[in-house]
Amino acid sequence: MEPKKLPNVTIALVLVIFSFLCCCIGGLPALLFSGIAFFLLRKDEKAYAENPDLYSNFSTLKTIKILAIVGMVVGILYFAYTLWSIDQMGGWDGYMEKVQDAMEQYQ
């Protein structure tokens, strides 16, 4: 019997790529996409552990799992930086004032 590929590896790869593309939008999209990818990869790891002779792309799964962890860390760091930046501007009200000033400058 020819070995099959693990079912969620390709989907997880796409989610990790989206995670890296969206990491600079406050960090939350990166965290969300990487978290979903990590969850899917954990399911595939369990399937592989039950019957390793059935699947052929476990090394790809391990690589994408590392990328998902990196994506989550980048998302957490960028989200923390965003919260710190808003705090340094005087909280949410100070941030909104800066946004309003920038909007008025370009009108």
Side-chain angles (χ1 to χ4, degrees):
M1 184 172 177
E2 186 175 320
K4 301 184 294 186
K5 297 204 181 275
L6 290 162
N8 295 324
V9 170
T10 306
I11 296 168
L13 177 61
V14 170
L15 288 170
V16 167
I17 291 170
F18 282 154
S19 168
F20 283 112
L21 292 175
C22 297
C23 71
C24 296
I25 308 174
L28 287 179
L31 192 57
L32 177 71
F33 288 136
S34 291
I36 293 170
F38 189 77
F39 175 75
L40 291 173
L41 292 171
R42 295 279 302 188
K43 286 175 51 177
D44 277 359
E45 271 185 331
K46 289 177 185 174
Y48 181 82
E50 289 174 4
N51 200 348
D53 297 334
L54 218 65
Y55 303 106
S56 66
N57 61 342
F58 187 69
S59 63
T60 307
L61 180 138
K62 291 191 298 186
T63 304
I64 297 172
K65 184 177 177 185
I66 291 169
L67 290 173
I69 291 170
V70 170
M72 283 191 281
V73 169
V74 168
I76 289 169
L77 290 175
Y78 202 86
F79 183 65
Y81 173 73
T82 301
L83 292 177
W84 178 79
S85 295
I86 290 172
D87 184 54
Q88 292 300 309
M89 290 181 208
W92 188 253
D93 293 331
Y95 171 73
M96 291 307 291
E97 283 179 27
K98 298 252 188 220
V99 169
Q100 188 65 30
D101 291 342
M103 295 293 287
E104 289 173 0
Q105 182 180 2
Y106 290 110
Q107 286 181 356

